[in-house]
């Protein structure tokens, strides 16, 4: 065998396919190595709540509320913080790159004691911080303003009762202090995202007063300047039981985030069913400093399905890459599916989001822009369509191989093995 053949024989099929893909992309003026380098730095905040159907660890037996719902009863869900961390370790080992964990306040470890939401402290999260530190990960955080008797009538920060408002203000205030302490401990700022379910099932008589109260409550929550923490606010169109009116609507929070220069959260499931968030990104970035994304997939409603490689997802990724917004964007996921293996749900959604971002990095953007700028819209359309069948899969496989995570569907065997060995004993 000549030397070249020997070398070829040693190459994996992933490398061979990648080399061919690299040539195809180079002909379009796209540098696959530069895309791979950029993709390695992507960090996605995995939402802890996919692991246990948004249950939390208060052990108070409080059902999920707030207009969000999890369906399915796949066996093996995490019942304790240790189980949830073990499941996350498994998921993270199957995803290329270094990522973050997004925690909700009711995932604190309260040692079997009843700790009210307005009494949570950093200590309740020290195991999470230690785990994140060991893994070299950052943490993000959320006050939990649902699944609680004081949220039972559907109102929290905008409640007409001052005592209830103050309870939730204190909970949110403590949450961002905890976020700041986590950010400091881990050397990476925490995004603390405030979402409240407040709203009415049926037509309100007064749309204004709750919004005035919400703005006042938020100002009280955010009063103290904090380092190591970014405050984010998340709007929504409707929830189950708040179909007619949501206090924290899109316009409400967009105005709030602009006027207070807060991080604006765009959740892909929080708009009309045919309305995507991709087109909103370059608009809101004109006026807000940073954006938090809750990448989700609504099917007919804000159903929080596992993120798949849809056109919607690719458009979001394209906007982030084209606009060079990644340094100002916090990438997060938000879905909960209890009808399939929950670890697989994390792996599928996170890998898809990364894949979409890598595909966006492989776009022949210079050629597309120049066609657009010279008025050659025929070329723009032709290239956009040809780009859809370029061999990005080979580049994605190379990313996985180089990062030592399973290529293609090989990760599934590991999840199945974990299911047989660990999940089936729960
Ligand atoms: C609800 C919001 C919110 C929640 C999480 C659990 O519609 O999307 O982000 O999903 O806080
Ligand atoms: Zn969300």
């Amino acid at each position: 065998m000549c030397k070249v053949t020997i070398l070829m024989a040693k190459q994996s099929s992933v490398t061979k396919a990648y080399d061919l893909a690299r040539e195809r992309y180079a002909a379009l003026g796209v540098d696959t190595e530069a895309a791979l380098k950029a993709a390695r730095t992507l960090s996605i905040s995995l939402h802890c709540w996919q692991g246990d159907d948004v249950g939390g660890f208060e052990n108070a037996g409080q059902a999920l509320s707030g207009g969000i719902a999890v369906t399915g009863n796949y066996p093996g869900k995490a019942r304790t913080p240790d189980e949830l961390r073990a499941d996350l370790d498994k998921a993270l080992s199957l995803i290329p790159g270094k990522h973050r964990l997004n925690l909700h306040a009711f995932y604190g470890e309260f040692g079997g004691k009843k700790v009210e939401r307005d009494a949570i402290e950093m200590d309740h999260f020290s195991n999470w911080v230690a785990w994140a530190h060991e893994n070299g990960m950052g943490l993000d955080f959320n006050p939990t303003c649902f699944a609680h008797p004081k949220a039972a009538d559907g109102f929290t920060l905008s409640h007409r009762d001052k005592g209830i408002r103050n309870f939730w203000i204190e909970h949110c205030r403590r949450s961002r202090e905890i976020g700041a302490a986590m950010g400091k401990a881990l050397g990476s700022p925490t995004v603390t995202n405030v979402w409240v379910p407040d709203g009415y099932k049926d037509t309100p008589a007064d749309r204004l007063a709750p919004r005035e109260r919400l703005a006042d409550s938020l100002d009280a929550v955010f009063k103290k300047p904090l380092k190591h923490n970014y405050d984010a606010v998340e709007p929504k169109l409707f929830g189950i039981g708040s179909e007619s009116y949501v206090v924290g609507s899109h316009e409400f929070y967009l105005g709030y985030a602009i006027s207070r220069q807060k991080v604006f959260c765009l959740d892909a499931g929080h708009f009309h069913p045919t309305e995507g968030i991709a087109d909103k990104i370059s608009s809101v970035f004109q006026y807000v400093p940073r954006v938090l994304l809750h990448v989700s997939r609504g099917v007919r409603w804000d159903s929080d399905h596992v993120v798949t490689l849809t056109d919607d997802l690719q458009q979001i990724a394209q906007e982030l890459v084209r606009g060079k917004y990644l340094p100002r964007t916090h990438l997060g996921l938000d879905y909960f599916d209890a009808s399939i293996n929950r670890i697989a749900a994390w792996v599928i959604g996170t890998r898809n989001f990364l894949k979409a971002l890598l595909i966006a990095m492989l776009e022949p953007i210079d050629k597309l822009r120049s066609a657009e700028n010279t008025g050659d819209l025929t070329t723009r359309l032709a290239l956009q369509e040809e780009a859809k069948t370029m061999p990005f899969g080979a580049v994605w496989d190379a990313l996985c191989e180089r990062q030592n995570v399973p290529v293609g569907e090989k990760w599934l065997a590991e999840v199945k093995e974990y299911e047989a060995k660990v999940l089936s004993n729960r």
Side-chain angles (χ1 to χ4, degrees):
M1 260 197 284
C2 76
K3 220 171 161 191
V4 176
T5 331
I6 294 167
L7 272 178
M8 287 287 287
K10 277 189 186 155
Q11 274 191 333
S12 71
S13 58
V14 170
T15 312
K16 275 191 250 170
Y18 171 71
D19 285 344
L20 293 172
R22 186 172 61 186
E23 271 179 45
R24 290 283 312 281
Y25 277 107
L28 274 178
V30 174
D31 179 352
T32 52
E33 283 299 316
L36 284 170
K37 195 169 164 215
R40 273 205 299 272
T41 66
L42 293 167
S43 187
I44 296 181
S45 201
L46 270 74
H47 51 316
C48 75
W49 51 93
Q50 165 58 52
D52 76 332
D53 312 342
V54 207
F57 298 128
E58 282 176 333
N59 299 320
Q62 192 70 42
L64 185 58
S65 77
I68 52 180
V70 185
T71 49
N73 56 0
Y74 201 84
K77 84 167 167 195
R79 297 160 303 177
T80 64
D82 285 335
E83 288 182 354
L84 189 56
R85 282 189 281 266
D87 293 357
L88 280 159
D89 285 337
K90 187 78 227 172
L92 289 163
S93 74
L94 305 173
I95 299 165
K98 254 280 156 265
H99 302 289
R100 305 174 61 85
L101 178 71
N102 194 6
L103 271 179
H104 241 284
F106 72 162
Y107 286 80
E109 288 167 73
F110 305 110
K113 277 192 237 111
K114 169 104 185 120
V115 176
E116 254 315 339
R117 300 255 176 108
D118 64 349
I120 54 165
E121 282 171 16
M122 176 59 177
D123 277 359
H124 302 129
F125 299 89
S126 53
N127 291 342
W128 284 111
V129 173
W131 173 84
H133 193 259
E134 251 167 57
N135 290 298
M137 292 169 68
L139 290 176
D140 296 308
F141 202 60
N142 307 258
T144 309
C145 302
F146 53 82
H148 190 277
K150 284 195 161 68
D153 65 359
F155 285 83
T156 61
L157 288 178
S158 74
H159 205 284
R160 66 175 72 79
D161 181 305
K162 192 158 188 271
I164 294 184
R165 276 202 311 281
N166 284 341
F167 175 85
W168 292 111
I169 289 170
E170 184 58 18
H171 174 62
C172 293
R173 218 186 48 71
R174 282 172 180 255
S175 292
R176 63 192 282 276
E177 296 264 9
I178 292 167
M182 286 173 167
K184 186 170 181 204
L186 297 168
S188 169
T190 296
V191 179
T192 303
N193 177 50
V194 175
W195 169 72
V196 294
D198 303 28
Y200 281 121
K201 179 184 176 81
D202 225 328
T203 319
D206 184 354
R207 291 175 187 268
L208 172 61
R211 290 193 168 130
E212 287 177 334
R213 292 194 289 262
L214 180 56
D216 283 349
S217 293
L218 290 168
D219 285 345
V221 167
F222 298 137
K223 195 159 174 222
K224 181 173 166 193
L226 290 176
K227 286 189 185 145
H228 314 290
N229 177 69
Y230 289 119
D231 299 313
V233 288
E234 180 179 8
K236 187 166 181 171
L237 175 67
F238 79 95
I240 302 174
S242 61
E243 289 85 356
S244 301
Y245 171 72
V246 166
V247 184
S249 63
H250 179 67
E251 290 73 13
F252 175 89
Y253 275 123
L254 185 57
Y256 191 87
I258 291 170
S259 57
R260 273 69 164 180
Q261 288 296 288
K262 296 296 180 193
V263 181
F264 187 58
C265 175
L266 284 169
D267 183 311
H270 285 193
F271 297 88
H272 285 278
T274 57
E275 189 179 0
I277 60 167
D279 184 54
K280 302 181 193 302
I281 292 170
S282 57
S283 296
V284 302
F285 262 125
Q286 303 296 314
Y287 306 107
V288 297
R290 311 181 72 83
V291 166
L292 164 66
L293 290 182
H294 274 189
V295 175
S296 186
R297 179 166 57 101
V299 177
R300 305 198 188 282
W301 64 287
D302 179 29
S303 55
D304 291 291
H305 279 62
V306 178
V307 166
T308 53
L309 194 59
T310 59
D311 286 351
D312 279 349
L313 180 67
Q314 294 194 41
Q315 282 162 15
I316 293 167
Q318 282 168 348
E319 282 306 305
L320 296 176
V321 173
R322 289 176 185 175
K324 299 193 171 43
Y325 293 128
L326 284 167
R328 287 206 278 152
T329 307
H330 303 276
L331 308 171
L333 298 164
D334 186 8
Y335 54 79
F336 17 95
D337 189 339
S339 70
I340 59 171
N341 180 300
R342 294 170 184 81
I343 297 161
W346 270 317
V347 176
I348 293 167
T350 315
R351 284 176 65 117
N352 276 329
F353 193 12
L354 289 170
K355 208 182 286 178
L357 287 159
L358 178 67
I359 296 170
M361 288 166 175
L362 293 169
E363 244 194 346
I365 190 62
D366 295 339
K367 283 197 174 10
L368 289 170
R369 283 217 173 98
S370 100
E372 185 166 280
N373 290 335
T374 54
D376 185 357
L377 305 188
T378 310
T379 296
R380 184 183 66 181
L381 182 61
L383 290 181
Q384 277 170 346
E385 290 308 293
E386 290 303 331
K388 288 181 182 169
T389 49
M390 285 292 286
F392 46 73
V395 186
W396 165 251
D397 288 347
L399 178 74
C400 292
E401 192 173 77
R402 290 181 191 187
Q403 301 272 100
N404 294 316
V405 301
V407 169
E409 77 296 339
K410 288 204 178 74
W411 61 265
L412 184 58
E414 292 202 30
V415 171
K416 293 278 186 197
E417 194 193 330
Y418 186 81
E419 181 170 305
K421 283 201 181 137
V422 180
L423 302 183
S424 65
N425 297 320
R426 287 182 184 164

